[in-house]
Amino acid sequence: MKSKKTKYSKSKYKLKKYRHRKKKSVFARAKRRFSEYFSYWTKQGYRKQRNWIDLDNASKLFPSVMNATDTKVFRFTATVKDDIDPKLLQMALDQSYKHFPLYRGVLRRGIFWYYYEESDLHPVVEKETDYPCRSLFHYDEKQLLFRVLYYRNRIHLEVFHALSDGTGASWFLQLLITNYVLLRYPESRSERIELPEEFQYTRYESGSQLDDSFTRYFNKKKNEKSINVKEMNPDESEKRKWKRVYQIYGRKTQDNRMQIIESEMPAKDLLKISKDRNITLSVLLTAIFIESIHKTIKRKNKERSVTISVPINLRQFYQSHSARNFFATTLIGYTFGQEGKTDTFDEICECVAEQYSTATKVENIEHKLFSLVKLEKNLALRIIIRPLKNLILRLANKINNLSITAALSNMGKISFPKNIEEYVDQIYVYITASRPQFACITHKGILTINFSSPYQDTEIQMNFLRRLTEMGIPVTIGANDVNPPNTKQDADHSDYLFEQQLVQRENQA
Amino acid sequence: MKYCNSCKIKIKGSPRVCPLCKEPAVDAITKFSKEESTKAGTKNAELSEVNSIEADGSFDPFPIVPLHYKQYTLLTVLSAISIFVYVIMWLIYLKFPESGLLPRYIFFALVSLWLLVSAIVRKRRNVAKSILYQFNILSVLLLLLDKLSDWSGWSITYAIPLLVCVALFAIIIAIGFIQKEFGDYVLYLGAVAIAGLIPLLFIIFGWVDVLWPSILSIALSSIMLILLIIFRYRLIVHELKKRLHL
Ligand SMILES: [Zn+2]
């Protein structure tokens, strides 16, 4: 009773106050408005000088070459035991965000270059309602370069490639999922968390996270002694000439969304197959990919090269805890229809394996990166204004793409602290692409291979996955709908068509 | 969970066709229940049927997203109106040639409309930038208009100097109420203030007879610049370094 009374009196009081305010509201409001207005010119907070940093060598390309289809956003998906609790996920995100100063950055335009600027923005988890990997950068808007989404039991981390590469983002994912599981499943807290070696503290220090490792290792001025003339000569394999590199074209999706096909399979089965052949998993997957693409080529009689662009994580060669981009790409390929070759799968494997071993030699990588960084520091290029630079980079990218058929990215293994692991199921990763592409990652013995493509056609993906099932590997796939029925009527109509099709099939049989 | 007999592959969720080969997919339960029932008895098959979604975590892995179509409404309406007006004007001109320069003015008006609208739309996220762009576009347009209507100098005598004053006040008033970081605006405000010094040239070269609009513009702009340099020097240097870094 008492509480009711106070409540009542309180509301009355409020009413009184409100009336009182209303009487002289015009004057008061004007006064308030003016004081607000003047505070803008006097308060310190409004003239904050924000910290900013330069983009690293690899990042410089992404804002220039992104477009509506190929947004250069990649996505990590983690599935956990139950449906996601958004409130706890938000808490986990808040905790993780604190440890990732890099992710506080927004991308902005200068006269000559883009740059990252520190922001006070606060990331908010959202339910996934849109298609995967929507654009994360708008030239005139300050927005964070990553987002966290959830759907059923899935947590998605989408990151703009200019901010971070897969390895950098996987650290954020590990922290986010660990925090979420600790909050969602209190049982997991009972044990003391034992951090695996890769959860070193240095990862979460702003100094090492924001490190521009490209400049640190490959800036000629700083590292003059470390290079000698011998290394500057391009290796023989670098000069490998491709014959008419095959380009994949297809029917684009209706509204430029990515076609995603995710697949999962036991890693040990694939590892056994590659061990039997005495090759690595990457080599096996690359060879299958090349073969699958070749199967789709209509005119097979000509000499054609199928080349795959493969990123190499540079952290395995150079000590770095940077969460920013630190990778190089290399081309692995195979030329079909050469004399004296029958283009069997074994031959492709052998050729790919050989290229992998030369491509991952430190000297070869170093040479390429020194010249890339040298180009970036070239004064003539630097003083070109940004809009023009964009055009040049876009053109250069187009030309470079002519020598690439497709791309793949093997993220290797990902793991979580021991007591977290049992709550986390599959991890998926994929990136937007201007041509069919796949990324794969292994977690808890399950390998997921995820295809992304701007096209509606799925022949390459089909060839690839059928090849795996033919080898006796149990594969489960999932896909997003690129041709969804727009209205109820459409849906009913397509249902009707589908049933008719089934009837026809049965009749034929 | 579904199953494709052609690809020999399990498919998550309940798509009607296999995403890979577009052949009809069958229910994985009916496919596997025979094998399972022989192995583990009928109980297992029943269980999996009852709880088919939760048991294998097999719901559609992606939400169904309706097709997005780009919205061209404003753009299409604007261009339709522009073309319509222009055609009508030409018809009038052909019928009554004595109306003289009419189509030229109409063309001019339409171009101005388009330029200003596109500047407003493209730069809507930063009010100071938007005002700077509109000021530039308007100045050029007014100069052209003056030229078109047998140069009498009204554009540089009155229009441009007064436009500078309007732009300066507009920025100062707008950003005070929007209350976002001053760093985003300071350089644009500075740019308008520097543009406000250009009427000095008009006076020096004797292009204008009536001096007060030019003097007003120069005075306001120099006050603005001096205030900016005195009170926001460090911020200006910081912003310049940031945006001009090589
Ligand atoms: Zn199929």
Side-chain angles (χ1 to χ4, degrees):
Chain A
M1 277 302 280
K2 206 183 175 186
S3 64
K4 235 184 185 176
K5 212 177 176 183
T6 49
K7 211 177 180 183
Y8 172 72
S9 59
K10 234 183 190 175
S11 68
K12 207 175 172 187
Y13 171 70
K14 253 186 186 170
L15 209 69
K16 247 186 183 172
K17 202 178 169 190
Y18 178 68
R19 270 186 200 148
H20 179 66
R21 236 175 71 182
K22 208 177 177 184
K23 257 183 200 167
K24 53 176 193 176
S25 65
V26 178
F27 179 68
R29 230 189 278 160
K31 200 177 154 191
R32 213 182 63 234
R33 265 294 159 100
F34 266 105
S35 68
E36 256 175 35
Y37 178 81
F38 283 112
S39 76
Y40 180 73
W41 303 99
T42 49
K43 264 188 194 163
Q44 274 285 341
Y46 292 119
R47 47 187 132 121
K48 211 168 180 179
Q49 293 177 23
R50 299 220 166 255
N51 294 327
W52 61 278
I53 49 171
D54 222 347
L55 267 65
D56 55 77
N57 185 287
S59 305
K60 280 184 166 126
L61 191 66
F62 295 117
S64 304
V65 302
M66 65 171 275
N67 57 43
T69 325
D70 192 4
T71 55
K72 300 290 175 199
V73 172
F74 60 89
R75 174 191 267 199
F76 273 98
T77 298
T79 55
V80 293
K81 281 273 170 278
D82 305 289
D83 281 6
I84 303 299
D85 183 334
K87 272 184 196 155
L88 296 182
L89 183 60
Q90 181 65 52
M91 280 167 74
L93 176 59
D94 294 344
Q95 290 171 2
S96 318
Y97 187 57
K98 264 188 265 170
H99 296 285
F100 264 77
L102 176 67
Y103 280 54
R104 249 172 265 159
V106 296
L107 193 60
R108 307 204 64 197
R109 303 194 299 182
I111 303 283
F112 301 105
W113 293 108
Y114 291 88
Y115 58 90
Y116 304 113
E117 192 182 69
E118 200 179 22
S119 78
D120 306 326
L121 295 172
H122 192 79
V124 178
V125 303
E126 286 169 74
K127 192 169 191 310
E128 182 188 19
T129 52
D130 220 320
Y131 50 77
C133 302
R134 274 173 307 129
S135 170
L136 270 165
F137 169 62
H138 185 284
Y139 63 91
D140 235 358
E141 230 164 298
K142 289 184 190 175
Q143 58 184 41
L144 290 173
L145 303 173
F146 76 101
R147 65 166 82 89
V148 174
L149 302 167
Y150 65 92
Y151 175 70
R152 301 292 300 254
N153 67 348
R154 294 174 161 231
I155 297 172
H156 307 294
L157 170 68
E158 292 186 350
V159 182
F160 187 35
H161 215 322
L163 182 73
S164 196
D165 61 5
T167 313
S170 72
W171 299 343
F172 189 76
L173 182 83
Q174 282 169 323
L175 192 62
L176 177 70
I177 301 297
T178 304
N179 281 335
Y180 176 74
V181 168
L182 287 175
L183 287 167
R184 176 72 178 75
Y185 304 100
E187 317 87 86
S188 66
R189 274 179 259 166
S190 57
E191 263 176 85
R192 209 182 136 270
I193 302 179
E194 273 178 43
L195 291 176
E197 203 181 311
E198 69 261 24
F199 274 72
Q200 290 147 329
Y201 182 65
T202 38
R203 263 189 199 176
Y204 306 116
E205 274 175 4
S206 71
S208 56
Q209 222 179 67
L210 298 176
D211 174 41
D212 181 353
S213 305
F214 280 107
T215 313
R216 191 150 61 87
Y217 284 109
F218 305 114
N219 198 352
K220 207 174 159 192
K221 272 180 204 150
K222 287 179 194 163
N223 299 291
E224 203 100 53
K225 284 167 201 161
S226 67
I227 27 167
N228 45 47
V229 194
K230 212 172 120 195
E231 276 168 1
M232 294 306 286
N233 288 328
D235 197 68
E236 285 290 305
S237 63
E238 282 274 308
K239 285 184 187 165
R240 186 192 294 273
K241 284 275 188 296
W242 305 110
K243 292 268 166 59
R244 267 195 77 186
V245 176
Y246 177 62
Q247 297 287 315
I248 303 169
Y249 293 105
R251 203 158 37 106
K252 287 224 163 169
T253 55
Q254 290 183 65
D255 57 353
N256 285 338
R257 71 177 68 181
M258 279 289 131
Q259 153 108 284
I260 307 291
I261 293 177
E262 51 174 50
S263 68
E264 55 208 66
M265 62 211 74
K268 64 172 197 312
D269 295 5
L270 266 172
L271 283 172
K272 193 176 168 293
I273 291 168
S274 47
K275 216 168 246 171
D276 289 345
R277 289 177 169 273
N278 205 13
I279 50 178
T280 63
L281 185 62
S282 290
V283 174
L284 181 72
L285 294 177
T286 313
I288 297 177
F289 200 30
I290 290 175
E291 195 200 43
S292 320
I293 292 168
H294 182 245
K295 274 185 194 165
T296 64
I297 302 179
K298 299 260 153 50
R299 269 186 265 152
K300 290 197 177 72
N301 45 3
K302 281 182 187 164
E303 272 194 14
R304 290 256 193 171
S305 296
V306 175
T307 58
I308 311 288
S309 164
V310 183
I312 299 169
N313 182 8
L314 294 174
R315 293 175 188 83
Q316 53 187 325
F317 305 114
Y318 303 93
Q319 168 77 21
S320 167
H321 290 289
S322 173
R324 295 167 71 181
N325 281 312
F326 196 40
F327 70 95
T329 56
T330 185
L331 263 192
I332 307 276
Y334 183 81
T335 305
F336 289 89
Q338 276 174 314
E339 271 177 51
K341 286 202 175 175
T342 45
D343 300 339
T344 57
F345 187 63
D346 293 318
E347 273 177 0
I348 302 175
C349 281
E350 195 186 320
C351 180
V352 168
E354 184 215 319
Q355 289 173 62
Y356 261 106
S357 63
T358 49
T360 46
K361 265 185 198 150
V362 178
E363 307 92 71
N364 294 341
I365 296 169
E366 210 159 56
H367 163 251
K368 197 179 165 187
L369 285 166
F370 270 115
S371 54
L372 266 177
V373 173
K374 196 181 156 195
L375 184 72
E376 176 201 338
K377 309 280 177 201
N378 183 339
L379 189 71
L381 195 78
R382 268 157 55 193
I383 57 164
I384 299 172
I385 53 166
R386 199 205 60 249
L388 204 60
K389 215 178 259 160
N390 269 355
L391 279 181
I392 295 171
L393 284 176
R394 242 179 254 176
L395 192 71
N397 188 52
K398 279 237 167 85
I399 292 169
N400 185 39
N401 279 351
L402 290 179
S403 62
I404 303 172
T405 309
L408 71 81
S409 157
N410 185 357
M411 288 294 304
K413 267 187 198 165
I414 186 169
S415 61
F416 294 88
K418 212 175 91 197
N419 35 349
I420 306 297
E421 204 71 279
E422 72 173 284
Y423 301 93
V424 188
D425 291 332
Q426 281 81 32
I427 306 291
Y428 305 89
V429 59
Y430 41 84
I431 177 163
T432 60
S434 51
R435 59 197 155 233
Q437 181 164 349
F438 80 77
C440 57
I441 190 164
T442 308
H443 174 242
K444 281 210 295 198
I446 300 287
L447 172 72
T448 65
I449 301 178
N450 309 292
F451 296 89
S452 49
S453 164
Y455 304 127
Q456 296 190 20
D457 316 75
T458 50
E459 214 185 328
I460 295 167
Q461 292 92 320
M462 184 183 77
N463 290 341
F464 190 100
L465 293 170
R466 278 190 178 178
R467 176 87 201 185
L468 294 181
T469 52
E470 277 162 20
M471 288 169 168
I473 296 163
V475 182
T476 305
I477 61 166
N480 67 340
D481 198 348
V482 289
N483 288 313
N486 239 10
T487 56
K488 179 80 174 58
Q489 261 183 342
D490 280 359
D492 289 345
H493 183 65
S494 64
D495 271 341
Y496 169 74
L497 287 181
F498 182 71
E499 271 158 28
Q500 276 203 327
Q501 204 185 330
L502 276 187
V503 170
Q504 258 181 15
R505 266 172 204 284
E506 270 167 30
N507 287 346
Q508 276 172 10
Chain B
M1 190 74 92
K2 294 271 194 165
Y3 187 81
C4 173
N5 281 317
S6 314
C7 301
K8 308 271 179 287
I9 225 165
K10 279 191 195 170
I11 307 159
K12 276 182 265 183
S14 49
R16 288 175 316 194
V17 295
C18 166
L20 296 174
C21 63
K22 314 295 182 217
E23 296 281 314
V26 298
D27 274 323
I29 297 154
T30 53
K31 167 81 188 167
F32 289 109
S33 56
K34 280 179 199 162
E35 298 162 28
E36 266 172 38
S37 56
T38 50
K39 274 181 197 166
T42 45
K43 199 183 159 197
N44 203 341
E46 270 169 33
L47 252 180
S48 63
E49 206 152 278
V50 170
N51 207 358
S52 68
I53 292 177
E54 298 305 324
D56 50 14
S58 168
F59 46 82
D60 285 305
F62 295 91
I64 290 171
V65 183
L67 289 174
H68 293 245
Y69 283 113
K70 268 193 180 171
Q71 302 272 319
Y72 284 117
T73 37
L74 180 74
L75 212 68
T76 34
V77 167
L78 251 180
S79 32
I81 291 175
S82 312
I83 292 167
F84 181 71
V85 168
Y86 195 59
V87 168
I88 294 279
M89 281 304 148
W90 258 104
L91 290 177
I92 293 174
Y93 179 64
L94 289 177
K95 189 86 182 162
F96 311 101
E98 63 273 23
S99 58
L101 291 164
L102 200 58
R104 209 193 284 182
Y105 283 114
I106 291 299
F107 181 72
F108 185 81
L110 289 175
V111 169
S112 329
L113 178 77
W114 271 100
L115 280 173
L116 287 175
V117 168
S118 61
I120 290 169
V121 172
R122 270 188 70 80
K123 307 291 170 195
R124 65 180 178 276
R125 290 168 190 85
N126 186 331
V127 67
K129 206 192 224 178
S130 175
I131 291 171
L132 175 66
Y133 271 78
Q134 284 168 63
F135 163 73
N136 285 336
I137 294 169
L138 271 174
S139 306
V140 173
L141 287 174
L142 290 172
L143 266 174
L144 277 174
L145 194 63
D146 200 359
K147 189 111 187 63
L148 269 179
S149 56
D150 304 323
W151 184 261
S152 59
W154 57 263
S155 59
I156 55 170
T157 314
Y158 298 103
I160 292 175
L162 293 179
L163 206 58
V164 171
C165 306
V166 172
L168 274 181
F169 277 111
I171 292 179
I172 291 167
I173 291 168
I175 62 179
F177 284 116
I178 291 171
Q179 310 230 319
K180 281 187 185 160
E181 276 164 46
F182 192 52
D184 293 348
Y185 303 124
V186 66
L187 293 186
Y188 302 106
L189 184 58
V192 173
I194 288 169
L197 297 178
I198 291 174
L200 194 62
L201 295 176
F202 303 165
I203 296 177
I204 290 172
F205 291 106
W207 292 338
V208 287
D209 300 326
V210 183
L211 293 184
W212 67 266
S214 296
I215 291 171
L216 184 68
S217 150
I218 295 162
L220 275 177
S221 299
S222 29
I223 291 171
M224 193 70 240
L225 279 177
I226 289 166
L227 285 176
L228 277 178
I229 288 168
I230 293 174
F231 292 108
R232 296 290 183 268
Y233 178 74
R234 273 165 57 197
L235 184 64
I236 291 172
V237 170
H238 178 79
E239 288 293 320
L240 280 176
K241 261 190 196 163
K242 199 161 74 178
R243 285 158 201 245
L244 288 175
H245 83 274
L246 274 170

